[in-house]
């Protein structure tokens, strides 16, 4: 019985932490856009993710961290790659995303039809022997 | 009688020493635990700096291109600064998506490769 109570409490805790992370990203993106630091407005959403990228801690129907760029024009592959690379090179953020149940990073724009996605598990630097 | 008192005194001293050793071991172990706990708590409070992430996303590419062109080792062929230039170029490539680090590397490179 206590096991299921613990499971429910953890589920709600994780859920609120995921929302907090997304909110803080969106807030910073908005501020950067308003102050002129960023030429495009970015927005993140929680999506379904790619089922091929699932790992043991993936959340059911909520494993995708989707970054949408409100650029007005279709972003080219290089620009999308740049946005993804900044997230993937920040190992602290990637590990946090993995621990919160995300498995896929998606980047797309609001005008084009193409987007890019990465498997987060590969970029977390996971492995090695525990001390 | 005197011998008995002396043996009791020695036993008492040994007991006190044993207790002191136990106390010190316990204290040391607790201290180690506290250090780990502090490190974990510190990490919990650390939030990811999203503002710098935004700057990295939109400006690091530009700066990377500028620095990789300016401090490319090919520009220093045949000079004594070739090794330093290679090291700096390696650093630039490693931090290509980190704007703050690139700025630091730029200052360092300007000081070292000034000729």
């Amino acid at each position: 019985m206590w096991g299921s109570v613990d499971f429910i409490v953890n589920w709600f805790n994780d859920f609120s932490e995921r929302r907090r992370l997304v909110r803080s990203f969106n807030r910073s993106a908005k501020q950067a856009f308003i102050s002129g630091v960023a030429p495009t407005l970015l927005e993140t959403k929680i999506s379904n993710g790619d089922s091929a990228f699932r790992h043991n801690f993936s959340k059911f129907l909520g494993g995708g961290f989707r970054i949408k760029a409100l650029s007005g024009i279709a972003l080219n592959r290089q620009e999308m790659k740049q946005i993804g690379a900044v997230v993937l090179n920040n190992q602290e953020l990637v590990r946090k995303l993995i621990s919160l149940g995300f498995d896929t990073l998606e980047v797309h724009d609001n005008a084009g039809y193409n987007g890019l996605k990465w498997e987060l598990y590969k970029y977390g630097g996971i492995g090695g022997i525990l001390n | 009688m005197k011998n008995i008192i002396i043996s009791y005194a020695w036993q008492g001293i040994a007991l006190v020493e044993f207790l002191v050793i136990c106390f010190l071991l316990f204290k040391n172990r607790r201290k180690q635990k506290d250090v780990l706990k502090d490190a974990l708590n510190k990490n919990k409070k650390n939030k990811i700096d999203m503002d710098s992430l935004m700057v990295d996303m939109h400006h690091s590419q530009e700066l990377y291109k500028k620095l990789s062109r300016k401090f490319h080792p090919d520009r220093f062929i045949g000079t004594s600064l070739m090794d330093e230039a290679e090291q700096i170029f390696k650093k630039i490539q490693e931090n290509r998506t980190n704007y703050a680090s690139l700025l630091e590397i730029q200052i360092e490179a300007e000081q070292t490769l000034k000729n």
Side-chain angles (χ1 to χ4, degrees):
Chain A
M1 187 218 166
W2 289 113
S4 36
V5 170
D6 196 37
F7 175 78
I8 293 164
V9 171
N10 280 342
W11 192 86
F12 277 108
N13 276 343
D14 279 2
F15 190 76
S16 68
E17 209 165 326
R18 280 154 69 91
R19 294 297 313 159
R20 215 176 298 141
L21 183 78
V22 168
R23 261 207 310 274
S24 72
F25 186 97
N26 287 343
R27 201 183 305 126
S28 296
K30 236 180 249 177
Q31 277 170 0
F33 181 67
I34 291 167
S35 62
V37 172
T40 53
L41 177 61
L42 299 176
E43 192 187 24
T44 52
K45 273 181 186 172
I46 296 171
S47 66
N48 289 347
D50 194 325
S51 57
F53 296 161
R54 290 184 73 78
H55 54 76
N56 291 354
F57 298 101
S58 291
K59 284 271 181 280
F60 177 66
L61 293 178
F65 189 75
R66 180 177 287 175
I67 301 175
K68 183 173 156 188
L70 298 171
S71 55
I73 50 160
L75 293 179
N76 62 34
R77 195 181 166 82
Q78 199 57 39
E79 285 167 324
M80 285 192 227
K81 245 184 173 177
Q82 169 66 13
I83 293 171
V86 170
V87 175
L88 295 172
N89 285 346
N90 190 336
Q91 208 173 66
E92 199 185 342
L93 177 59
V94 173
R95 285 185 170 200
K96 191 162 188 176
L97 288 171
I98 291 170
S99 66
L100 289 176
F102 291 104
D103 51 39
T104 315
L105 171 69
E106 300 170 0
V107 177
H108 74 106
D109 51 38
N110 65 334
Y113 294 101
N114 296 321
L116 291 177
K117 56 185 174 187
W118 293 266
E119 185 179 357
L120 282 173
Y121 188 80
K122 282 183 183 170
Y123 295 90
I126 297 164
I129 300 162
L130 293 176
N131 287 321
Chain B
M1 184 68 185
K2 199 181 171 184
N3 285 341
I4 293 167
I5 291 167
I6 289 169
S7 73
Y8 274 129
W10 277 116
Q11 278 177 15
I13 290 166
L15 190 71
V16 169
E17 273 180 358
F18 176 71
L19 288 174
V20 167
I21 289 166
C22 283
F23 174 72
L24 287 174
L25 282 173
F26 177 73
K27 203 180 167 186
N28 192 29
R29 209 171 165 186
R30 205 169 165 187
K31 206 176 175 183
Q32 281 177 353
K33 269 187 187 173
D34 286 348
V35 169
L36 282 173
K37 227 181 208 178
D38 287 348
L40 273 174
N41 284 334
K42 204 179 164 188
N43 211 19
K44 262 184 205 169
K45 281 174 194 167
N46 277 349
K47 285 181 182 171
I48 290 158
D49 190 4
M50 292 293 182
D51 292 335
S52 64
L53 201 75
M54 291 300 139
V55 176
D56 292 345
M57 275 181 187
H58 296 101
H59 299 285
S60 61
Q61 181 77 356
E62 218 174 287
L63 188 60
Y64 166 73
K65 277 184 182 170
K66 186 186 155 194
L67 294 186
S68 58
R69 241 178 272 133
K70 197 174 174 185
F71 302 112
H72 198 279
D74 286 355
R75 283 175 177 262
F76 300 90
I77 290 174
T79 64
S80 57
L81 297 167
M82 181 70 186
D83 291 339
E84 282 96 338
E86 272 178 2
Q87 289 294 324
I88 284 167
F89 191 69
K90 217 181 268 179
K91 272 189 200 170
I92 291 170
Q93 279 185 319
E94 278 167 8
N95 295 292
R96 61 185 298 169
T97 55
N98 193 336
Y99 187 77
S101 303
L102 283 177
L103 280 179
E104 281 171 19
I105 293 167
Q106 186 181 15
I107 294 165
E108 189 197 325
E110 276 167 1
Q111 282 171 355
T112 349
L113 304 176
K114 196 166 61 179
N115 51 3

